Amino acid sequence: MEIPKTYEALKAEEKWYAHWMNRGYFHSQPDEREPFTIVIPPPNVTGVLHMGHMLNNTIQDVLVRRARMLGKNACWVPGTDHASIATEAKVVQKLRAEGIRKADLTRDEFLAHAFEWKDKHGGIILEQLKKLGASCDWERTSFTMDPAYSESVINVFIDLFNKGKIYRGERMVNWDPEALTAVSDEEVLHKEVNSKLFYVRYKIVGTDDEWLTIATTRPETILGDSAICINPTDVRFKQLHGKFAIVPISNRTIPIIQDDYVDVEFGTGCLKVTPAHDTNDYELGKRHNLETINIFNANGTLNSLGLHYEGQDRFEVRKAIEKELYDKGYLVKTEDHINKVGFSERTNAVIEPRLSLQWFVAMKDLSAPALDNVMNGNIKFHPDKFKNTYRHWMENVKDWCISRQLWWGHRIPAWYFGEGANDFVVAKTVEEAMDMASKKAGRTISSADLKQDEDVLDTWFSSWLWPISVFNGLTDPENKEIKYYYPTNDLVTAPEIIFFWVARMIIAGQEYMNEIPFKNVYFTGIVRDKLGRKMSKSLGNSPDPIELIEKFGADGVRVGILISSPAGNDLPFDTSQCEQGRNFTNKIWNAYRLVNAWEVKELDQPLSSKLAIEWFDAKFNKELAEINDLFEKFRISEALMAVYKLVWDDFCSWYLEMIKPGYEQPIDAKTMEATIVFFEKILKVIHPFTPFISEELWHFIRERKDGEDVMMENWPTIQAVDENIFSGFTLAEEIITNIRNIRKQGNIANKVKLDLFVKKNKEANLTFDPVVVKLGNLSSMEYVSDKISNANSFIVQGNEYFIPFGETVDIEAEKSKLLEELNYTKGFLKSVQGKLKNEKFVASAPDQVVAIERKKEADALEKIALLEAKMASFN
RNA sequence: GGGAGAUUAGCUCAGCUGGUUUAGAGCACCUGCCUUACAAGCAGGGGGUCACAGGUUCGAACCCUGUAUCUCCCACCA
């Protein structure tokens, strides 16, 4: 068959993806086979594919495709996450560009816009995954705000509330003044910032001119001060015990309290306490019954308690108040100071600790079994160093703030019927809420009297149910899908979300399924650029994956991104890796072109071909065992490298060269058939990594019936191997390399046939001599009893090899080469003998080890003798 | 501040229970080849004081101690 000179990746990709889809290969339903399940880490519904997704999803696809070939019922569930903050931010931005302000819209109007946006942009990323070759069961595509999914989320909220594990409380939360919502601890990024430490003096009440000086990084919060705190053991301030101070500018009188929280060493040893605006101060305030003075509005501007600064932004006020303090003589000095400031992961706004009423999940009891299941190995982490990180977090887990002041998401099913702290019920519907509220209040509460909580739930409060809810495990717990597919097998995700998501899925699994959600967690690294920077949109250093696919082919990109990315390690990515991947597909393509061009005839099989077949058969099985082992250990990139070398080095460079007929010569049928069979096995083992080209060639290499696709073939099984073959082959390989070297040094063209003479001094596995003759391009290979003079020579395994080529032998070059080898061998001998002379070594080392050393010694001595004899022959 | 991990060739990484020649791979590099499968290629080659300093051991890249550097995680130090 005529085939194109180069592999046309894009055409093949389109063709085969459509074919696989049409045949329904990606779809799974429960049957008698063993299930293999992966749930995709759902990307943001409005997200666009980036390199991190490429890495993550390529790995999942490799695992799924291999599992499918191993005969398992493979099911990869795709889907998207509503990603409340990120998506809402995008919608707000988009509306703003159209001149619409969120504040001018009703909740329903806004949600209509949001859903419109979602319908338009949602799922782009899933379409992009198809280009990568992802074999997801698209019929199962889920979304965390699908009706049934939402129902699960609400049910879980109600259930946990009824179990007393969800409570409402006033807490200091991380407030994002830009998004106007609370964010979780995990969504706050702490960065070191150069700031100033302001030393401000407060007058002590009842004195004319006595002052105390505090140090603060946030002078604007002075307006919210409720106390000054000193360490009770601090002798410097004994005289202040029980006294009061006057807050600059606002001129309020505040107490001087004592608490050993205060670090005597830091600043001045006097701490100003602002319970409304600092987590620690809040705790201090509670301990000492201090007034909480909130001077900020939700958007980070000052309120009326900010006096003449009302309406101004907190950072502007910081500058202004510095000046005012200075002008009025309160500012003693300022110092440069580096401190950590929290930034919102989503909006990059500086997080403001803010006191507010929020909903929380009590985590302590919930997390205990989830910790156990990782520590005892029921769930395995790859690499397992992440167990430490996990344990540390789980042992120090804090309550989870799950309310978000947003509209896009699952609305909290709490209904208020009065102003009191307890005047609310948690219910699935208004009707239920009316009943419950009426009972609770002891009077009839109508729907008009009820006000549903305005907030939505944290995105992770829905995604922690992902492995359960994609199979409707909560809304329909007895259904056969959840029973069949759950627990899932492998989860592939980034270490950044080990707490956000992985830990919480394990918790939810324990609580609702009483079982772990997955057995293995593979942590990928972060994709970085050549300079080691994280790839990001804002830096513009991330290549567009789709463009890469168009340039190098999906298979090329898959190989490129996997080729050097061990689990848990960051991946410094460069497009040259995709080039390497593309070259790999090209190599396989050309191997096929070679085989395809051969004309088959009924001929005798050359002995060299027979040997080649025996060798490759053994080699394939040996490497397959290795590849399987690497897969079991989740060493995916090493498995790929093993496949890569098997194809390139063993199959192409050695095997095909060994059996290749002469130019325009036919090949014998026996060898051809064996080669096709090998090629098929090769296509199977590369398929998880390079699905498209393997399918394309699978159909080229043999006539196929309907449904005979490599994707659905069985993974090769390992056959027993005769280890003896390898020693024969290794000898041949060494001889051939030496011959090639001599050709190179003597500038002898490959097509010039050479004569090889062998002086056999030792027994050796000579089986592969016919291969030596062929690949060495020898006219003869003859065993002789005497040395051949005036010849190029080399020594392999104690035997001497000669290639007469009188005129071009460069005696001096030959001598220096010999000398070099002699010196090396002598050095080697010395180190071996050093060991053997050591009586303690001989006495303590295992016999086997000593025997090996003795053998090394003997071999080295023998080689030295040969080399010296050769040297002598030159003189 | 606490914790975890890392440091092996120019780059990315293997190196398992300490012993299999004097440490391996891929890429990059150098040299020679456009040899009718493939220059997206072939053949050959160079390159490492295993971060440093001690220690344990007959024997250390591997175990122990310390030092340095890096990465990540956690933590409210004003």
Side-chain angles (χ1 to χ4, degrees), chain A residues 34 48 55 248 323 382 402 578 587 662 768 796 799 821 847:
Chain A
E34 183 189 339
V48 175
L55 172 62
K323 186 168 184 302
H382 307 276
I402 51 170
C578 294
K587 184 73 187 177
F768 279 77
V796 178
N799 294 322
E821 202 173 355
D847 293 346

Side-chain angles (χ1 to χ4, degrees), chain A residues 212-386:
Chain A
L212 63 83
T213 305
I214 58 94
T216 179
T217 52
R218 301 197 58 189
E220 69 277 13
T221 63
I222 279 173
L223 303 169
D225 281 356
S226 303
I228 298 288
C229 190
I230 53 175
N231 193 303
T233 61
D234 195 336
V235 289
R236 294 174 297 175
F237 303 120
K238 260 199 163 127
Q239 74 281 7
L240 297 179
H241 291 186
K243 301 232 167 119
F244 292 81
I246 296 169
V247 181
I249 300 176
S250 66
N251 289 321
R252 282 181 293 107
T253 298
I254 55 171
I256 296 169
I257 60 169
Q258 298 164 51
D259 196 291
D260 50 20
Y261 162 73
V262 177
D263 180 351
V264 179
E265 304 287 320
F266 189 89
T268 60
C270 292
L271 172 74
K272 72 183 205 60
V273 185
T274 321
H277 301 299
D278 183 283
T279 331
N280 299 302
D281 291 11
Y282 176 68
E283 295 302 320
L284 274 175
K286 274 205 300 199
R287 274 206 292 281
H288 298 271
N289 280 321
L290 298 175
E291 193 184 353
T292 299
I293 306 164
N294 181 0
I295 61 166
F296 290 133
N297 294 312
N299 64 1
T301 59
L302 272 70
N303 61 24
S304 60
L305 293 172
L307 307 175
H308 48 288
Y309 293 110
E310 182 175 0
Q312 293 183 42
D313 182 76
R314 53 197 165 142
F315 297 111
E316 286 169 28
V317 174
R318 185 173 304 169
K319 284 185 209 143
I321 210 164
E322 177 183 0
K323 186 168 184 302
E324 185 177 353
L325 288 168
Y326 178 79
D327 290 345
K328 295 186 171 163
Y330 293 113
L331 187 65
V332 179
K333 62 171 177 175
T334 62
E335 268 176 9
D336 287 334
H337 179 67
I338 294 168
N339 67 338
K340 291 232 174 149
V341 176
F343 291 84
S344 166
E345 192 185 34
R346 300 291 176 194
T347 63
N348 208 33
V350 173
I351 292 295
E352 193 63 54
R354 187 166 194 258
L355 209 50
S356 57
L357 267 177
Q358 304 284 346
W359 291 90
F360 294 86
V361 179
M363 295 296 275
K364 209 170 167 50
D365 296 343
L366 286 174
S367 57
L371 174 59
D372 293 345
N373 274 302
V374 170
M375 297 323 289
N376 66 17
N378 286 348
I379 298 172
K380 290 195 177 62
F381 283 0
H382 307 276
D384 69 354
K385 65 176 179 182
F386 287 108

